[in-house]
Amino acid sequence: MVEVDNSLNELEQASLIEETKVFNIHELGTIEKHEPIPELKIIVQACKCSPIGKLLPDALYVHISALTALEQVLQQYEIFARSTYSQADTPTIVKFSTRKPKISYLFYPDFDTDPHPALKASIQVDLETLQVTYRDYTISDNPPILHRKETFVTSDYPLYQEFTELTSVQETLGLLNNPKNIGTKVKWQQRLQAYNVEIQGHRLIQNQTLTSNRELTPRQVERHKAAIVRNDLSRPVRLALEAGLFTQNTTFFDYGCGHGSDVTRIAQQGYTSMGWDPYYSPDTPQILADIVNLGYIINVIEDIKERREALVNAWKLTRKVLLIAAQVTLADTNRGQG
């Protein structure tokens, strides 16, 4: 399942929109009959369970190349929406709304070349009212932009590893924290200036006053800066709850808990919950627990031996279930790393 992320909350809400047009599908003559479509609750469930795409509170976003990897019901749902009007250009991202029976087609022509491409236009299809809405963002000085491009595509996308490595460095440095504040071009530029960095191609460059620029890699940044202050449960812990792994009297331990968001929220649900972190909670005892979480820890440990030690230590604390989540940045299977 994909993880809910709030970094695109400002999509299709740019500060200046050149033109908005609304058409009725029947008036356009592109469809003669409104065929039955799946109930919204079915679409919502398919979106939430999708292993492909970027899931936000109100929608699932998927790159056009990844549509065939979606569950069949989502593919048919999208095909119906696409058949309702004529597309002159191929969209980049397809947005499946989880609040209303709507699909939007978003155009990012520089998706491959720009590390954070700007939205140029959107077409929204309302499958209930049979209206098509077109919005043009080309005149906007502050258009919405994309982050974490690897989340929209499948792992076999040609630029997947390049996208993933950039995201990994940005996460480690803390550039993607508080995603609501980086959803538009202006806000993102302000974030880069605040961190004294710039992006060239898909590489992050740190500006220095007295020395030449140097390219940043994950190992050059302090690991604790990768800890995210979350507004909700992390993906692996949320999935464990939804799967029913937490039962009465279940105990929970977060190995590498960062700021302790998961520890706090699990405790609020009535479970015994503790966590340890080498930077934020070094004095907390490491105790046995029914469920142990090792969430997004091993991907920021560059040393293979140390990474293995973290896995072994977490496993030793586990009575029943060990949750492991990591963002893979290496895909060289010939070398046995991934």
Side-chain angles (χ1 to χ4, degrees):
M1 291 173 65
V2 295
E3 179 179 5
V4 176
D5 191 306
N6 293 307
S7 61
L8 293 182
N9 281 346
E10 298 186 36
L11 268 177
E12 301 177 280
Q13 297 176 9
S15 58
L16 179 61
I17 301 175
E18 179 181 18
E19 186 177 17
T20 299
K21 297 179 181 179
V22 180
F23 305 95
N24 184 278
I25 293 175
H26 291 306
E27 293 174 355
L28 293 174
T30 54
I31 186 168
E32 297 181 356
K33 182 180 179 181
H34 190 192
E35 298 293 341
I37 59 175
E39 293 183 23
L40 182 59
K41 64 180 181 180
I42 297 177
I43 297 301
V44 171
Q45 183 61 29
C47 287
K48 290 183 177 180
C49 295
S50 175
I52 304 298
K54 185 167 192 161
L55 182 63
L56 274 69
D58 63 346
L60 174 70
Y61 294 78
V62 181
H63 191 271
I64 191 72
S65 67
L67 289 177
T68 56
L70 293 176
E71 193 173 327
Q72 192 65 31
V73 66
L74 291 179
Q75 292 189 47
Q76 294 174 348
Y77 188 64
E78 187 278 324
I79 290 173
F80 175 78
R82 190 168 6 121
S83 69
T84 61
Y85 75 102
S86 299
Q87 292 186 13
D89 299 313
T90 301
T92 315
I93 303 292
V94 179
K95 171 188 173 183
F96 295 84
S97 173
T98 54
R99 292 183 178 173
K100 296 182 179 180
K102 295 181 178 181
I103 284 184
S104 297
Y105 296 92
L106 311 179
F107 295 82
Y108 294 89
D110 302 321
F111 182 83
D112 283 347
T113 58
D114 191 330
H116 300 284
L119 180 64
K120 300 299 183 183
S122 72
I123 296 174
Q124 183 185 83
V125 179
D126 189 320
L127 299 175
E128 190 171 54
T129 65
L130 302 184
Q131 283 188 332
V132 176
T133 303
Y134 171 80
R135 291 188 174 93
D136 189 341
Y137 293 83
T138 56
I139 198 174
S140 175
D141 293 327
N142 188 29
I145 62 172
L146 293 181
H147 299 280
R148 306 175 187 272
K149 293 193 297 181
E150 73 284 350
T151 61
F152 300 99
V153 300
T154 56
S155 58
D156 59 355
Y157 192 76
L159 299 174
Y160 176 82
Q161 183 172 342
E162 188 173 7
F163 295 165
T164 300
E165 290 174 351
L166 175 61
T167 295
S168 178
V169 175
Q170 292 177 339
E171 285 182 334
T172 305
L173 191 59
L175 282 169
L176 303 182
N177 291 350
N178 301 317
K180 290 183 179 180
N181 297 325
I182 58 174
T184 59
K185 182 178 179 180
V186 171
K187 289 184 177 180
W188 177 238
Q189 289 300 321
Q190 291 173 346
R191 177 68 61 87
L192 293 178
Q193 291 173 9
Y195 280 73
N196 197 32
V197 297
E198 60 180 285
I199 299 176
Q200 298 178 5
H202 284 77
R203 294 175 299 172
L204 195 66
I205 306 297
Q206 184 175 43
N207 295 321
Q208 297 179 341
T209 304
L210 301 177
T211 60
S212 59
N213 291 349
R214 64 186 179 88
E215 183 178 344
L216 289 177
T217 63
R219 70 176 63 237
Q220 294 172 312
V221 184
E222 296 177 70
R223 293 175 190 165
H224 70 273
K225 291 183 178 180
I228 299 174
V229 179
R230 301 181 184 275
N231 297 319
D232 200 353
L233 287 169
S234 66
R235 178 187 178 190
V237 178
R238 173 173 54 81
L239 292 179
L241 274 171
E242 294 175 352
L245 298 181
F246 283 82
T247 58
Q248 188 176 10
N249 299 323
T250 293
T251 57
F252 173 79
F253 189 86
D254 195 349
Y255 188 92
C257 61
H259 298 282
S261 301
D262 283 334
V263 174
T264 299
R265 286 179 171 80
I266 288 297
Q268 290 173 346
Q269 299 205 27
Y271 300 101
T272 300
S273 178
M274 294 185 65
W276 172 87
D277 188 273
Y279 184 85
Y280 294 100
S281 300
D283 298 326
T284 302
Q286 298 181 23
I287 62 174
L288 295 174
D290 297 322
I291 297 178
V292 174
N293 179 45
L294 186 65
Y296 308 108
I297 300 301
I298 58 176
N299 52 277
V300 297
I301 302 177
E302 65 278 2
D303 182 75
I304 296 178
K305 181 180 179 181
E306 188 177 351
R307 191 184 308 160
R308 182 179 183 278
E309 290 176 353
L311 286 166
V312 171
N313 290 340
W315 175 251
K316 288 180 178 179
L317 299 177
T318 305
R319 286 198 182 105
K320 296 180 180 179
V321 178
L322 175 61
L323 307 174
I324 301 176
Q327 183 175 32
V328 179
T329 59
L330 295 175
D332 187 352
T333 56
N334 292 327
R335 296 178 60 183
Q337 302 177 18

